[in-house]
Amino acid sequence: MNGALEFLTKLGPARLAAMAVVTALLVGFFAFITLKVTQPVMAPLYSDLSVQDSAAIVKELEAQAITYELRHEGAQIMVPKDAALRLRMKLAEKGVPTGGSVGWEIFDKSDSLGTTSYVQNINHLRALEGELARTIRSIDRVQAARVHLVIPERQVFQRDKRDPTASIALKLRGQLDGAQIRAIQHLVAAAIEGMKPGRVSIVDESGRLLASGQGEDPEGVVAASLQERTTAFETRVETQIESIVASIVGQGRARVRVTADLDYNRVTQTSDTFDPTGQVVRSTQTKEENSTNASGDKSVTVANQVPGGTQDQAGATTKEASNTSEETVNYEISKTSRTEIMEAGRIKRISVALLVDGLYTTAPDGAVTYQPRPKEDLDRIAALVRSSVGFDEKRGDQVEVVNLRFAEAPATLPLENQKTGFAALFDFGRDDILRLAELGSLLIMTLLVLLFAVRPLIKRVTGPDMITITTTEGAAGQIALPGSPGVAADGTPLPVVLGEDGQPIADPAHPTHLRLDQAKALGAVQAGSITKIGEMVLESPAEAAAIIRGWLHEAA
């Protein structure tokens, strides 16, 4: 204990104060390093939040004592990565976030007793608007949505009924195509009784009208539908071609564009075909008639006409016989009736443009070189494309395959250059690299502090301390503390000899100085011998060479 007090007393107040300041700085620095190293990795809990949702989520996090960070003016909340999923489930259980709108939960928070029908109707309308807004936000590229409904009340003695309408304001991430806009219209119309899709108006955040809400335009709907069918057909063919070509040239190494000319006319064609050579007997009818007719002499005389007179019995008799035969044959001729209905969407002409990248080879030093693809490969790829699209030269179809180098290099290396097995363990991602860089920078800062702050301080404290002594002549000099050069083992200072200028000089009787003098003398003798040998070699170089050869033979 006394030794420690004496040590602190010898240091002096100035040095103790400096040590205290440096120690405090070091403690703060290492506390900062420890905090950064042990700080958990943060991940976004929710993004694009409204102020109300952010406040509700922060309240829940503070109640659970969860560390969080607010970014982008409260629109994004960061939490520890390992707790993000669990927190989302707990917040979803409590109905947070609400997306800045209320849904059917409004009836859970209100007291139905004493509530008027007007308030109930307003709450019902708000709930419908909120639920529709939440559903629309779940669509891709929709960041936020607000829905306003106008549902006319049905009067008791009113014959005419007004249709309900809706207006929707969207905040988008990009652009919506026509199919998505109509999908939103049909979604809202199906949720409201009596609403037609054409009565839904949609605008985006820039005030651009996406749907007028003035009713459906039949011609416009048909034209949009035909355009969508053409686009869908072209996209499907492009996907088929790209899937085939990608297996040859690599993923992302081919670009395909298809232009199709489709015929949307619906044609019904009916034809009757008769085959005269294919006649058959349908029915046969035969008719035969035989008749016999006998007649006498019917001449008119007076005797024959007088009543009671004697008629002439000897008149002549005539006989007539006839035979008639008739046959009718009915034939059935072969007849073919054919009705063809050609639906809309027939391909009139199709054109395919295919751009493929070349070949890349990696040298042992890592350099990547480009080589164009052989013409034989391009011809085979073109043949595959023709087969996949149903190429018909009579229609005027075209297929063009061009090999050009892409502006960007391949995203992935060939399989033989990819890391596998144990080497794949060191294939770090972007987050891992950033974390390692942060830890590396902290390590470098720690080493710098240790080398340039802690180490000099320790040497300063534990190193020899110079004290001032006074000689008999009154001149001042400095010697080290016990254990340092110039001090005996028992702490007795060695004698100090002062020079003519009053400064202490080394004691010539000290053993160290004696050894130095001996070394200097020996060095001078060796230097003189080397000089003499050099002069002898210069005077007789042949003899010197012979002597050296003899030494070499003896050594061998």
Side-chain angles (χ1 to χ4, degrees):
M1 186 67 181
N2 294 330
L5 292 176
E6 292 178 359
F7 177 73
L8 294 176
T9 303
K10 292 179 181 179
L11 291 178
R15 184 172 294 179
L16 289 176
M19 290 177 58
V21 172
V22 173
T23 302
L25 293 176
L26 291 177
V27 170
F29 173 76
F30 285 109
F32 170 75
I33 295 295
T34 304
L35 180 63
K36 293 295 292 183
V37 172
T38 58
Q39 185 179 9
V41 179
M42 306 299 284
L45 179 63
Y46 289 106
S47 301
D48 300 328
L49 295 172
S50 62
V51 179
Q52 295 82 358
D53 290 337
S54 297
I57 294 175
V58 168
K59 184 178 179 181
E60 293 292 335
L61 294 178
E62 291 178 350
Q64 300 180 22
I66 301 296
T67 305
Y68 66 90
E69 295 179 4
L70 295 178
R71 297 182 182 179
H72 305 297
E73 299 181 355
Q76 186 180 40
I77 299 179
M78 306 290 292
V79 296
K81 187 176 181 179
D82 54 351
L85 182 59
R86 177 175 55 85
L87 290 174
R88 289 194 189 102
M89 291 188 293
K90 287 188 176 181
L91 293 174
E93 183 180 357
K94 297 182 179 181
V96 179
T98 61
S101 59
V102 294
W104 297 115
E105 67 273 6
I106 190 174
F107 294 102
D108 299 333
K109 301 178 182 179
S110 61
D111 187 7
S112 59
L113 295 177
T115 304
T116 62
S117 60
Y118 176 78
V119 175
Q120 290 285 10
N121 292 335
I122 293 298
N123 290 338
H124 180 263
L125 186 63
R126 292 179 60 193
L128 281 176
E129 293 175 348
E131 293 294 334
L132 287 173
R134 293 176 183 177
T135 305
I136 294 173
R137 280 199 304 270
S138 63
I139 299 176
D140 189 21
R141 298 182 183 177
V142 177
Q143 182 177 353
R146 286 184 62 87
V147 179
H148 302 280
L149 300 176
V150 178
I151 304 178
E153 295 183 2
R154 180 69 180 273
Q155 302 297 331
V156 179
F157 300 102
Q158 185 178 5
R159 293 183 178 179
D160 298 334
K161 181 181 179 181
R162 292 183 299 170
D163 295 333
T165 59
S167 57
I168 304 173
L170 301 178
K171 185 177 181 181
L172 305 176
R173 303 187 191 93
Q175 298 293 332
L176 294 178
D177 54 20
Q180 290 176 316
I181 294 174
R182 286 193 298 276
I184 294 175
Q185 288 182 303
H186 284 272
L187 174 67
V188 176
I192 306 300
E193 182 181 1
M195 181 178 291
K196 299 179 181 179
R199 304 298 293 174
V200 179
S201 176
I202 303 176
V203 296
D204 60 5
E205 72 277 8
S206 61
R208 186 166 57 94
L209 184 64
L210 303 180
S212 63
Q214 298 298 325
E216 295 183 352
D217 182 10
E219 296 182 358
V221 172
V222 172
S225 177
L226 296 180
Q227 182 63 31
E228 289 177 4
R229 291 179 61 182
T230 303
T231 304
F233 174 78
E234 294 174 349
T235 303
R236 179 172 59 85
V237 176
E238 289 176 359
T239 304
Q240 292 177 352
I241 297 175
E242 190 169 359
S243 63
I244 295 176
V245 178
S247 61
I248 301 174
V249 302
Q251 193 68 29
R253 297 289 92 196
R255 300 291 185 270
V256 185
R257 291 296 178 268
V258 175
T259 302
D261 185 8
L262 304 181
D263 185 5
Y264 290 105
N265 295 324
R266 190 174 185 270
V267 179
T268 302
Q269 183 177 359
T270 303
S271 61
D272 295 334
T273 304
F274 297 91
D275 186 8
T277 60
Q279 60 183 358
V280 295
V281 177
R282 181 178 182 181
S283 62
T284 302
Q285 183 178 3
T286 304
K287 182 180 180 181
E288 293 183 359
E289 293 182 359
N290 297 320
S291 62
T292 302
N293 186 13
S295 61
D297 186 8
K298 298 296 183 180
S299 59
V300 179
T301 61
V302 175
N304 291 336
Q305 299 298 326
V306 175
T310 303
Q311 297 182 357
D312 188 4
Q313 299 294 330
T317 302
T318 304
K319 293 183 179 181
E320 294 180 357
S322 62
N323 187 5
T324 304
S325 178
E326 181 180 352
E327 183 178 4
T328 303
V329 180
N330 296 323
Y331 292 92
E332 189 71 28
I333 299 177
S334 177
K335 175 184 177 182
T336 302
S337 297
R338 184 176 182 180
T339 301
E340 294 182 354
I341 300 177
M342 293 180 287
E343 296 292 343
R346 298 183 306 278
I347 301 175
K348 297 173 62 178
R349 185 173 178 270
I350 187 170
S351 301
V352 180
L354 175 60
L355 176 63
V356 296
D357 200 2
L359 301 174
Y360 292 89
T361 57
T362 304
D365 57 353
V368 179
T369 58
Y370 171 82
Q371 295 179 356
R373 292 187 178 275
K375 187 177 183 304
E376 294 78 8
D377 293 349
L378 298 179
D379 294 340
R380 294 174 183 174
I381 293 175
L384 288 175
V385 173
R386 292 190 186 96
S387 300
S388 63
V389 301
F391 180 83
D392 188 357
E393 189 175 0
K394 296 180 180 179
R395 292 187 313 212
D397 296 348
Q398 292 183 353
V399 174
E400 292 291 338
V401 180
V402 180
N403 175 213
L404 293 175
R405 183 175 183 177
F406 285 10
E408 66 276 7
T412 58
L413 295 175
L415 294 177
E416 59 270 12
N417 296 330
Q418 291 184 356
K419 296 180 180 180
T420 57
F422 182 76
L425 297 176
F426 299 95
D427 190 11
F428 300 108
R430 179 176 178 272
D431 296 337
D432 298 331
I433 294 175
L434 292 178
R435 183 63 177 173
L436 290 176
E438 181 180 1
L439 295 178
S441 60
L442 294 177
L443 178 61
I444 293 174
M445 292 175 60
T446 304
L447 293 177
L448 293 177
V449 171
L450 291 175
L451 291 176
F452 297 101
V454 179
R455 184 170 176 269
L457 178 62
I458 295 176
K459 292 180 65 177
R460 181 77 174 177
V461 173
T462 60
D465 192 9
M466 305 302 294
I467 61 174
T468 303
I469 60 173
T470 305
T471 61
T472 56
E473 290 82 1
Q478 289 184 344
I479 61 174
L481 288 174
S484 61
V487 182
D490 57 356
T492 304
L494 297 175
V496 179
V497 180
L498 300 178
E500 296 179 356
D501 55 355
Q503 298 296 328
I505 60 176
D507 183 9
H510 193 272
T512 302
H513 297 288
L514 294 177
R515 287 194 296 270
L516 290 175
D517 294 339
Q518 293 176 0
K520 290 180 180 179
L522 181 60
V525 172
Q526 292 178 351
S529 300
I530 293 174
T531 303
K532 291 181 180 180
I533 293 173
E535 293 176 354
M536 294 173 62
V537 171
L538 292 176
E539 292 176 356
S540 304
E543 296 178 358
I547 293 172
I548 294 174
R549 290 192 189 97
W551 290 346
L552 293 176
H553 287 297
E554 291 178 0

